[in-house]
Amino acid sequence: MDTVRGAGVVVTGAGGGIGAALARRFAAGGARVVVNDLDPARIEPLAREIGGIAVAGDASGVVAAARDALGGTVDVYCANAGLASPGDAFADEEVWAAAWDVNVMAHVRAARALLPQWLERGGGRFVTTASAAGLLTMIGAAPYSVTKHGAVAFAEWLSLTYRHRGVKVHAICPQGVRTDMLTAAGSAGELVLAPGAVEPDAVADALFDAMAADRFLVLPHPEVAGYHQARAADPDRWLGGMNRLQQKWEETTGAGAAAPGAATGP
């Protein structure tokens, strides 16, 4: 894509999986790419491979260092870092807080740092790696599902607020992708996501297709569009179907058989 050639691109969570695939695809298109991860050892080989720049550290605060590494301008920001965060309503407060911080607030902090320059010059592109769970939901993963809904909601807000000022926004919402996060999803992931899982390169392809079409939703699994429509058209029917899936998971694995603390009262 001509819009990618020479662009300054930042990809957080680029140590593997979707992030690494995005970084390779942008670099192949002629972009100047900063790859970010908490662990320098995960991104330095990738930076060498693609001729990019490794900037290690927390994704929440990487914009300033990445901008400096790119000579003062970030054209495309891929908010890809995320936490799988399985668990139910009884998950520890720390699990909920970490999921919220990484899956939502890191995006908010990045936008705060990027928007002044983008709005001044009239252009920029923000890419959120969310999940089909952010449009639908995911059994066995309350913190993940709730915060991915938040990530999609924030991306929608950015798009509706700033698109007339040149800011383009895309929300990537795949189902299963063959990454470490799929493994971390455990038995629920094996039941729901693994059968139709795609390679990370397919996600990068879907993003580039959406960028070319100027389309907000990026759906590496096109069937998610139908599920999303069915959920909106008849929420009770959709929830009933998901509950049956929940019951199947419980019967297969024994998960969710007892709610921790349920008998102890407030």
Side-chain angles (χ1 to χ4, degrees), residues 131-133 136 173-177 182 192-193 196-198 220-221 223-224 227:
S131 168
L136 306 169
C173 297
Q175 290 188 294
V177 183
L182 179 58
V192 179
L193 303 176
V198 299
H221 298 80
E223 61 269 26
V224 168
Y227 302 154

Side-chain angles (χ1 to χ4, degrees), residues 88 187-188 191 245-260:
D88 58 15
S187 58
L191 176 64
L245 187 61
Q246 170 74 18
Q247 292 177 64
K248 179 179 178 181
W249 178 52
E250 292 179 7
E251 291 166 2
T252 303
T253 66

Side-chain angles (χ1 to χ4, degrees), residues 151-243:
V152 172
F154 183 63
E156 288 177 337
W157 187 89
L158 287 177
S159 182
L160 68 89
T161 303
Y162 299 116
R163 63 167 48 207
H164 67 292
R165 299 180 67 179
V167 177
K168 299 181 181 295
V169 184
H170 308 278
I172 305 175
C173 297
Q175 290 188 294
V177 183
R178 296 187 183 100
T179 68
D180 291 343
M181 287 188 80
L182 179 58
T183 303
S187 58
E190 283 295 316
L191 176 64
V192 179
L193 303 176
V198 299
E199 295 296 334
D201 286 346
V203 179
D205 290 343
L207 171 61
F208 271 63
D209 288 346
M211 289 168 60
D214 196 18
R215 188 172 61 248
F216 173 76
L217 276 182
V218 183
L219 301 179
H221 298 80
E223 61 269 26
V224 168
Y227 302 154
H228 187 39
Q229 291 170 359
R231 173 179 176 268
D234 193 341
D236 289 309
R237 181 177 180 182
W238 182 82
L239 286 167
M242 289 300 295
N243 180 252

